[in-house]
Amino acid sequence: MVHEQRSTPPSVTLVVMGVSGIGKSTIAAELVARTGWTFAEGDDMHPEANRRAMAAGHPLDDAQRWPWLRRVAAWIGEQEDAGRNAVVTCSALKRSYRDLLRDGHPSVTFVDLVAPPELVDARITERRGHFMPAALLASQLSTLEPLQAGEPGIEVTATGTPDDIAASALRALGIDPAV
């Protein structure tokens, strides 16, 4: 039997996911610091109308989320096409959202950050300069569908230090940091 040889290994895209305030940006920054991979903040891909709606305390509906998710998926595709390993933050609350991110993108692996709601609420309440208010946490928690069988990814408890959480994620994924 002949196996196809690839001259370069496939790229990896880590989608750091979870509810607002769970620590996606912080953990993604730690992952990027350890790996040197390309990074994108998923929140930066939201249309301004979405950002205004959330800042006003209005949860997004699926019609508002789909264009944003398509932007994130397009960015993933650009990284794959360039052969780059990457990290992107995205709440990816529902299986259908994650399916869209994975569609045609074999590089995607999810890093599902989980923590007690009380801790997440405290983090949101303490942070400054973010458009997502603590009042929307309940709607995100009610929308959240944890990773399911058949989805590529890991669940990581996000209660330790960012350094420990990132190290745990990389160990669980079998990724040896470049730096």
Side-chain angles (χ1 to χ4, degrees):
M1 176 180 282
V2 177
H3 295 282
E4 181 180 332
Q5 295 290 324
R6 294 185 75 147
S7 58
T8 58
S11 60
V12 174
T13 302
L14 300 180
V15 177
V16 181
M17 62 168 279
V19 296
S20 183
I22 194 77
K24 294 182 296 291
S25 298
T26 301
I27 301 310
E30 284 290 331
L31 293 169
V32 169
R34 290 167 176 267
T35 62
W37 294 359
T38 301
F39 172 69
E41 175 61 59
D43 281 346
D44 292 344
M45 297 182 211
H46 269 294
E48 188 56 35
N50 284 8
R51 294 169 72 88
R52 282 194 306 270
M54 289 183 283
H58 304 292
L60 299 181
D61 60 25
D62 283 354
Q64 293 166 303
R65 284 188 178 114
W66 288 118
W68 166 63
L69 290 163
R70 287 186 191 98
R71 286 181 182 181
V72 175
W75 184 88
I76 291 168
E78 290 168 10
Q79 305 322 301
E80 284 181 339
D81 290 347
R84 288 189 288 264
N85 292 329
V87 177
V88 62
T89 59
C90 179
S91 54
L93 297 174
K94 291 183 180 180
R95 169 81 187 244
S96 60
Y97 303 165
R98 296 187 297 269
D99 288 346
L100 182 142
L101 296 175
R102 288 182 24 224
D103 187 26
H105 301 124
S107 71
V108 170
T109 298
F110 296 100
V111 177
D112 183 8
L113 301 178
V114 296
E118 304 78 32
L119 176 61
V120 178
D121 185 58
R123 288 177 180 168
I124 291 176
T125 302
E126 292 171 7
R127 75 180 176 188
R128 300 289 176 253
H130 195 278
F131 61 87
M132 185 75 161
L136 292 182
L137 178 60
S139 72
Q140 286 208 331
L141 289 169
S142 68
T143 301
L144 179 64
E145 297 172 359
L147 282 180
Q148 299 171 13
E151 290 187 275
I154 59 167
E155 185 177 283
V156 179
T157 302
T159 57
T161 67
D163 183 61
D164 290 342
I165 296 165
S168 175
L170 292 172
R171 263 193 317 277
L173 292 165
I175 296 173
D176 187 21
V179 287

